[in-house]
Amino acid sequence: MANIPKYYESLNLDYKPPRGNWMDRPLNIKSGIYCYPARPNVLAGIQMNDRSDWGKYWVVEDEDWELPDDWKERFLNKMRDMLDKYRTFKIYMDICVRCGACADKCHYFLGSGDPMNMPVMRAELLRSVYRGEFTKTGKILGRIAGARKLTKGVLRQIWYYMFQCSECRRCSTFCPYGIDTAEITIMAREIMNELGMNIAWIQESCYKCIHTGNHLGLQPQAYKECIDCMLGDIEENVGISFDVSWNRKGADILFVTPSGDVFAEPGIYTLAGYLLLFEYLRKEYGFDYTWSTYASEGGDFGYFTANDIAKRMNSKIYLEAKRLGVKWILGGECGHMWRVLNQYMTTWHGPVDFLEEPVSPITGTKFENAKAHKMVHIMEFTADLIKHGKLKLDPSRNDRLRVTYHDSCNPSRGMGLLEEPRYVIKNVCNHFYEMPENTLRDQTFCCGSGSGLNASENMELRMRGGFPRQNAVRYVRDKYGVNMLACICAIDRAAFPDAQRYWNPDVGCTGITELVANALIMEGEGPRTNNLRGFEIATWEPKP
Amino acid sequence: MNLEKFLTKKRDHVVDKWIQSVQETYPAETVKFFRHQRNRFANPLGAAISETMGPLFDELLNENNPQNISSLLDRIIRIRAVQEFEPSSAVAVVFLLKKVIRDELKKDIEKDGLIKVEDLLEFESRIDYCALLAFDVYMKCRETIWGNKLDDFIKRPYVTGGNMRCLSYMLKQEQRQGKVAEDCCNNCGLGEVR
Ligand code: SF4
Ligand code: SF4
């Protein structure tokens, strides 16, 4: 032996993280994971009962969060109110048996490896306070009963992790008790509003929506300009020119879509798709619809902050429908808009008796599922048109694309819209490939940026959250050469390009209506050598 | 016996230990999950670790082709670049192999007696080089992150939140240390508050 020198010793490397009870672990607030807080003046602009009344701006990484002296009472009083008001909340606080079925179902846990992102732990953050402050056993037994008092440290932890939940509800589909951790996040965020602790991305969007009609803050003239601009592009690429009507009383149908489609790429091409599809229907079948600059937002960021704000923002759509006297409302490709409509709208505003039960003016199909809220999803509408042979389509125009489909959380888990989008894609594209089953339909993975977490400063969080979905995309990319990810949500379309630049830089992102419009044969069209994005159909290589 | 043959013989053991030590850079609850969930879509992070370390070891041992090493590293470093880790611990996965070899094989190597110091040093140098490549991959990932942030900043003038409305606003915000802005330059024309 002995040709190996003595100093050939073990390396002193230890990367094992601290162990022990989770309540004792230090909280490491990391930039890139949290979103910037909302400014007090913005909060004041939404008339929220919160930080606006003591007006302090706060910085997340600072030790001092500039809380008011009575912060603890504010928090606990609000929590007590919510426990009294919402029975589900109380039940969710009481019945979790910590079976762990939900533990590994959250995309943020799968992407971060941080156990505090297990849904059960996320809920436990608030549940421990519930036990420690509201239950007898918790007050007596303390930690043995998993209880603790609310302290500033605990509050920091709750805030940090409640803004790492996209309210996607994937975890709830696995819970044997049906505990919906998304609801717990919703409650926690609303409780923290009492301390003005919501994020800029959400509150600014609400502020803009309340003041200008949409999350992007596009004023009516800007909104119209954006659409005029798309009409110009359509003229260039499709060779036909037409106009659309605005705020028109007496139109049959009001069309509402998230404002992300009006301004952000690649959503604007989905918007171009709507425009072209409706023009086709107008020419062929006399389809009669109008845009609105007042109901210029389908999404509802209020839903990510407080019940009242959500209700207020949702009401605009119906007030406008009533004012214009339309028969029913057609909705664009949006995610949470549909969850709000299907699960909350009728409780908020009662029966919508001033609108008719939606019937397709072209096929005569009655959309019975939309009986209560009177709003039809564009995918149901388009699938029905295709089923009845009402669209002239040339799917070969999409032949460069090998498409896969991402079930956006809210339409799939929130309203069960599973087959229509697939049916539409298969009719307008020749190459369609599904991702693995345990990443689809009701088990779909979130894009990683839902529930108002689609800001820029939390890019690392978004990449973590997007990883499980992108991992499945990568699989079909390698196996089938997939180069396009289709979805039906404006937040997806804003989130995926970033996620794909990071995880799958050779896969693009599209809304389904863009694919439909590219395949649609318009009467009087010019040579369709370009797609709606202005790229040559024959040579296009999609990129995120 | 030369080192390559020796390591080839011990390959599975070394790779297992390497996987284990990479897994253990995560909290205990997460490690438990890595071990019981085998589905690569339900456990993408665990799959990336267990599917990468073996081929990476083989590559180091046999071909030692920088391009292949980089693309294998990419799968694992890309994930770690957005996780809780400091940069050094994100790329430390590579050095953990050195540790495994030293801890696990030291006795065998000494017993065998036929393994040359030069061979050992040469193999460890490969690991060092691999660590440098890991640094490249890490930086590329981080640059994509910042590229995304910048891209958002440019493309989302209407949607950027209050703190990001314009650069001058952000700078002043910092100077002001927490006070609400009143004096944004408004050169960007967007206005500090609408
Ligand atoms: S699955 Fe349900 S009962 Fe089980 S730990 Fe999760 S929330 Fe609790
Ligand atoms: S709702 Fe979605 S993001 Fe929130 S804990 Fe459950 S799986 Fe995670």
Side-chain angles (χ1 to χ4, degrees), chain A residues 96-102 120 175-177 179:
Chain A
C96 170
V97 292
R98 301 176 81 164
C99 68
C102 62
V120 52
C175 174
Y177 294 88
I179 295 176

Side-chain angles (χ1 to χ4, degrees), chain A residues 105-108 119 122 164-171 181-182 185:
Chain A
K105 302 304 185 291
C106 176
H107 49 288
Y108 289 115
R122 198 185 311 285
Q164 292 186 47
C165 166
S166 60
E167 303 178 0
C168 75
R169 291 177 71 212
R170 185 169 196 266
C171 49
T181 304
T185 301

Side-chain angles (χ1 to χ4, degrees), chain A residues 20-23 25 96 98 100 102-104 109 114-128 148 157-158 161-162 181 184, chain B residues 29:
Chain A
N21 191 307
W22 66 270
M23 290 191 197
R25 285 185 206 162
C96 170
R98 301 176 81 164
C102 62
D104 58 353
F109 168 65
D114 176 358
M116 293 313 290
N117 270 319
M118 292 174 168
V120 52
M121 294 311 294
R122 198 185 311 285
E124 204 63 16
L125 290 169
L126 197 61
R127 204 175 273 129
S128 57
R148 58 179 178 172
Q157 220 179 10
I158 296 177
Y161 284 103
M162 290 305 172
T181 304
I184 297 176
Chain B
E29 298 88 337

Side-chain angles (χ1 to χ4, degrees), chain A residues 3-222:
Chain A
N3 56 2
I4 307 298
K6 265 215 185 71
Y7 56 78
Y8 190 71
E9 292 291 341
S10 173
L11 283 176
N12 190 17
L13 290 179
D14 185 12
Y15 291 105
K16 289 194 183 128
R19 291 173 182 240
N21 191 307
W22 66 270
M23 290 191 197
D24 300 326
R25 285 185 206 162
L27 173 68
N28 178 25
I29 293 186
K30 210 171 174 239
S31 90
I33 303 304
Y34 64 83
C35 295
Y36 294 149
R39 291 169 299 159
N41 48 347
V42 168
L43 297 173
I46 322 174
Q47 296 135 31
M48 287 186 79
N49 171 26
D50 47 36
R51 196 171 282 259
S52 49
D53 40 309
W54 72 100
K56 292 250 177 70
Y57 188 86
W58 58 296
V59 177
V60 177
E61 280 176 67
D62 284 359
E63 270 309 306
D64 184 4
W65 277 7
E66 304 276 358
L67 295 166
D69 297 336
D70 61 344
W71 70 272
K72 199 169 164 178
E73 287 87 76
R74 286 187 189 223
F75 186 105
L76 293 177
N77 287 344
K78 181 72 181 178
M79 188 163 171
R80 187 173 299 111
D81 284 355
M82 310 268 292
L83 285 164
D84 290 343
K85 189 169 169 197
Y86 302 111
R87 233 173 81 80
T88 42
F89 182 35
K90 179 137 193 330
I91 290 173
Y92 293 164
M93 288 291 103
D94 280 324
I95 62 166
C96 170
V97 292
R98 301 176 81 164
C99 68
C102 62
D104 58 353
K105 302 304 185 291
C106 176
H107 49 288
Y108 289 115
F109 168 65
L110 296 177
S112 67
D114 176 358
M116 293 313 290
N117 270 319
M118 292 174 168
V120 52
M121 294 311 294
R122 198 185 311 285
E124 204 63 16
L125 290 169
L126 197 61
R127 204 175 273 129
S128 57
V129 170
Y130 166 73
R131 293 196 196 102
E133 301 278 1
F134 294 96
T135 69
K136 255 196 207 121
T137 19
K139 279 182 189 160
I140 297 166
L141 294 177
R143 221 183 235 221
I144 306 168
R148 58 179 178 172
K149 292 283 173 202
L150 179 64
T151 62
K152 283 191 180 173
V154 171
L155 176 69
R156 288 169 83 86
Q157 220 179 10
I158 296 177
W159 185 85
Y160 190 56
Y161 284 103
M162 290 305 172
F163 286 96
Q164 292 186 47
C165 166
S166 60
E167 303 178 0
C168 75
R169 291 177 71 212
R170 185 169 196 266
C171 49
S172 75
T173 50
F174 295 89
C175 174
Y177 294 88
I179 295 176
D180 185 351
T181 304
E183 290 273 338
I184 297 176
T185 301
I186 291 171
M187 299 297 158
R189 288 189 185 180
E190 186 157 349
I191 292 168
M192 287 185 292
N193 276 343
E194 289 299 296
L195 306 173
M197 290 168 63
N198 210 299
I199 60 173
W201 188 260
I202 294 175
Q203 301 292 47
E204 294 245 347
S205 301
C206 294
Y207 177 87
K208 287 174 196 157
C209 194
I210 286 168
H211 289 261
T212 66
N214 51 70
H215 295 150
L216 297 191
L218 299 170
Q219 291 176 345
Q221 64 277 22

Side-chain angles (χ1 to χ4, degrees), chain B residues 133-157:
Chain B
L133 293 176
F135 179 66
D136 288 348
V137 173
Y138 179 85
M139 281 315 293
K140 236 197 281 163
C141 294
R142 296 299 309 173
E143 275 169 18
T144 310
I145 293 286
W146 284 99
N148 275 350
K149 289 186 187 184
L150 187 62
D151 206 58
D152 276 3
F153 186 80
I154 293 166
K155 281 194 186 154
R156 293 171 158 184

